[in-house]
Amino acid sequence: MIKTVTMNPAVDKTLEIDNFRIGAVNRISSIRLDAGGKGINVSKTIKALGGSSLATGILAGSNGEYIKSYLDHLGIDNDFLFLKGETRTNIKIVDKLKGTNTDINEPGADLSAEELSLMEKKVFAEINSDSILVLSGSIPVNVPKSIYKEWTERGKKSGARVLLDSDGELLREGIKAEPYLVKPNINELERLLGRKLGSREEIVKAAKNLLETGAEIVVVSLGADGAVFVNRSKAIYAQGLMVDVRSTVGAGDAMVGAFALALQRGYSFERAVTLSVAASAANVATNGTQPPVLEEILRYEGQVRFSYVK
């Protein structure tokens, strides 16, 4: 079983605005709504690839009901904790003329100690040695930044492989628990290290250094420049694919979803690389944060080129 955890989900409201200008009246050319949040996006990609997962997390209010119905419609199993209040709405502004994507994200609601305990029970229900547990994204503002570290430790005690995709203190604390896979993007990795990484060789070296913290696999997404994948026996650089960019939101989540499914299916490291890069590219080529399409993922996979790095 693959279980994805989204502690801070959102309704993603994507607005297309040509020639978006700060401090001026802007006209919206199109609007779309999607169920969002990093773990939810991971589950959407797994479903698109013909796999299954259980999405869990925290929902509230009419936005929460919308997200649940959205996942139900896609056929994604889910078990969310419903609370009082309202799930946040995140605004995504896409300007095709300027080629920009702007995110305006709400912080999310507070969570009591009792509610956090209830959430933890859902996270670890039926987790065992056959499980892959995906911990990704932000958390409610008053939840301890050590939460992913604590949950990684507990997941590992149950025999699960834990995949961690987070930023800042969540990432810094989480890697101390030695998750199976860590997936920062280049900006998150640079923030973690406190310095810029100017070359591909530096990025590969930094990824290998993360293995020394206990992770088995490190994936560093580089946006349009591709991604670096490192395990204990090899390092691979995969080139980015040329696609018609419609939305960059969720590209890293698609990569995590594809890699999680590849792990579950026992694919080779190389196949996991090509599938992950293809899923990310297909996600970028879709509007809003809707999931990529299987046929497009497979088409892009045939275009992925990678090389081994010493």
Short mmCIF file of all heavy atoms in Angstrom, two decimals, residues 1 79 90 126 140 184 188 273 283:
data_model
loop_
_atom_site.label_atom_id
_atom_site.label_comp_id
_atom_site.label_asym_id
_atom_site.label_seq_id
_atom_site.Cartn_x
_atom_site.Cartn_y
_atom_site.Cartn_z
N MET A 1 0.83 -1.20 0.00
CA MET A 1 0.00 0.00 0.00
C MET A 1 0.87 1.26 0.00
O MET A 1 1.85 1.33 0.74
CB MET A 1 -0.91 0.03 1.23
CG MET A 1 -1.73 1.30 1.36
SD MET A 1 -2.76 1.35 2.85
CE MET A 1 -1.53 1.41 4.14
N ASP A 79 -9.06 8.75 3.16
CA ASP A 79 -9.54 8.65 4.55
C ASP A 79 -9.04 9.88 5.30
O ASP A 79 -8.01 9.83 5.97
CB ASP A 79 -9.03 7.37 5.19
CG ASP A 79 -9.52 7.20 6.62
OD1 ASP A 79 -10.57 7.80 6.96
OD2 ASP A 79 -8.85 6.49 7.40
N ASN A 90 -5.67 28.07 -2.44
CA ASN A 90 -4.42 28.61 -2.96
C ASN A 90 -4.63 29.13 -4.38
O ASN A 90 -5.25 28.45 -5.20
CB ASN A 90 -3.32 27.53 -2.97
CG ASN A 90 -2.84 27.19 -1.57
OD1 ASN A 90 -3.07 27.94 -0.63
ND2 ASN A 90 -2.17 26.06 -1.43
N GLU A 126 -2.82 0.50 9.49
CA GLU A 126 -2.48 -0.54 8.51
C GLU A 126 -1.12 -0.33 7.83
O GLU A 126 -0.85 -0.89 6.77
CB GLU A 126 -3.58 -0.66 7.44
CG GLU A 126 -4.94 -1.01 8.02
CD GLU A 126 -6.01 -1.16 6.95
OE1 GLU A 126 -5.67 -1.22 5.77
OE2 GLU A 126 -7.19 -1.20 7.33
N PRO A 140 0.12 22.52 9.27
CA PRO A 140 -0.52 23.63 9.97
C PRO A 140 0.49 24.39 10.83
O PRO A 140 1.45 23.81 11.35
CB PRO A 140 -1.57 22.93 10.84
CG PRO A 140 -1.92 21.70 10.06
CD PRO A 140 -0.62 21.26 9.45
N PRO A 184 14.32 16.83 -2.36
CA PRO A 184 14.27 18.29 -2.42
C PRO A 184 14.37 18.76 -3.86
O PRO A 184 14.92 18.06 -4.72
CB PRO A 184 15.53 18.70 -1.64
CG PRO A 184 16.49 17.59 -1.92
CD PRO A 184 15.67 16.33 -2.03
N GLU A 188 15.30 24.05 -2.51
CA GLU A 188 15.19 23.49 -1.15
C GLU A 188 16.52 22.91 -0.69
O GLU A 188 16.89 23.05 0.48
CB GLU A 188 14.10 22.42 -1.14
CG GLU A 188 12.70 22.98 -1.35
CD GLU A 188 11.67 21.93 -1.71
OE1 GLU A 188 12.06 20.79 -2.04
OE2 GLU A 188 10.46 22.25 -1.69
N VAL A 273 13.68 6.30 -12.84
CA VAL A 273 14.13 7.61 -13.29
C VAL A 273 13.33 8.09 -14.49
O VAL A 273 12.80 9.20 -14.51
CB VAL A 273 15.64 7.57 -13.63
CG1 VAL A 273 16.06 8.83 -14.39
CG2 VAL A 273 16.47 7.43 -12.37
N ASN A 283 2.94 16.44 -16.31
CA ASN A 283 2.21 17.29 -15.37
C ASN A 283 2.35 18.77 -15.75
O ASN A 283 1.38 19.53 -15.71
CB ASN A 283 2.74 17.07 -13.96
CG ASN A 283 1.92 17.76 -12.90
OD1 ASN A 283 0.96 17.22 -12.38
ND2 ASN A 283 2.30 18.99 -12.57
#
